[in-house]
Amino acid sequence: MANLTGPTETFPIDSTWRGQANDFGIPLGTKARSANGNEYTFVLAGAAIAAADACRFGGSATGFDDIRPTSAAAQYVVGAADGTAFASGDYGFLMTRGVATVKVVNATAALSVLVTNGTAGTLALATASELAGSRSAVALVTGVTAGSAVYIG
C-alpha cells in the first residue's frame, strides 16, 4: 500500500483502493506519486487484472478508460497492478513508472530487458527484433513467475 500525492493534493485513497464507482471524482489519467517515487495513474479496468500483471491499453480512444493485462507479443507496457488485483470495471491507481512486482518468465536474469509475450500479464526476455517500437521493462532480480521486481519507465 502506498499513500499517494499529486502536485497540489493528497488523495483520499491509496494505491490498493479499487471500486466499481469513481466515488472520489478523480479524473481518469490523473497522476500521483508514492513516498518511494513510483508514479501511479488513475484508470478504469476494461477486464479483470490479477495482482502483479503487466498491463496495456485496451484500445479505447482515451486510453485510461480501458486498461487490460498484456496478452500478446509487442504490446506497449503501460504499467502494472502492483500488489492489488482489479475486477473488470474497477477504478483505481495503476503503477505506471517505477519499481513494481510483475509476473515474468522464470528464465529471466537480473538486468534483462523484458517485453510482453503470449502469456497474459507476463513479461519475457526480449530478442533484438522485439525492442524496436515497444515500451520495455527491466528485470531487477532473477525472474520468478509469481512476480519479480521490475522497473517500468
Side-chain angles (χ1 to χ4, degrees):
M1 174 190 79
N3 292 320
L4 301 174
T5 58
T8 60
E9 64 189 312
T10 299
F11 292 99
I13 56 176
D14 63 33
S15 62
T16 63
W17 179 87
R18 304 290 183 256
Q20 289 284 306
N22 187 355
D23 296 327
F24 301 100
I26 300 169
L28 293 173
T30 295
K31 305 257 186 239
R33 289 209 180 269
S34 63
N36 68 0
N38 282 355
E39 182 179 275
Y40 291 80
T41 304
F42 196 71
V43 302
L44 175 61
I49 301 168
D53 271 0
C55 297
R56 64 180 174 88
F57 293 118
S60 73
T62 59
F64 293 110
D65 64 347
D66 188 12
I67 299 295
R68 297 169 179 267
T70 58
S71 59
Q75 291 179 327
Y76 182 87
V77 178
V78 68
D82 188 26
T84 306
F86 285 79
S88 182
D90 270 358
Y91 289 88
F93 278 99
L94 181 76
M95 204 291 299
T96 51
R97 184 175 301 268
V99 178
T101 299
V102 181
K103 296 176 194 169
V104 297
V105 173
N106 226 3
T108 57
L111 303 181
S112 298
V113 176
L114 306 173
V115 294
T116 63
N117 66 13
T119 303
T122 303
L123 302 176
L125 184 64
T127 64
S129 64
E130 290 174 316
L131 294 177
S134 68
R135 182 176 185 213
S136 56
V138 176
L140 298 178
V141 297
T142 300
V144 295
T145 56
S148 295
V150 170
Y151 179 79
I152 297 172

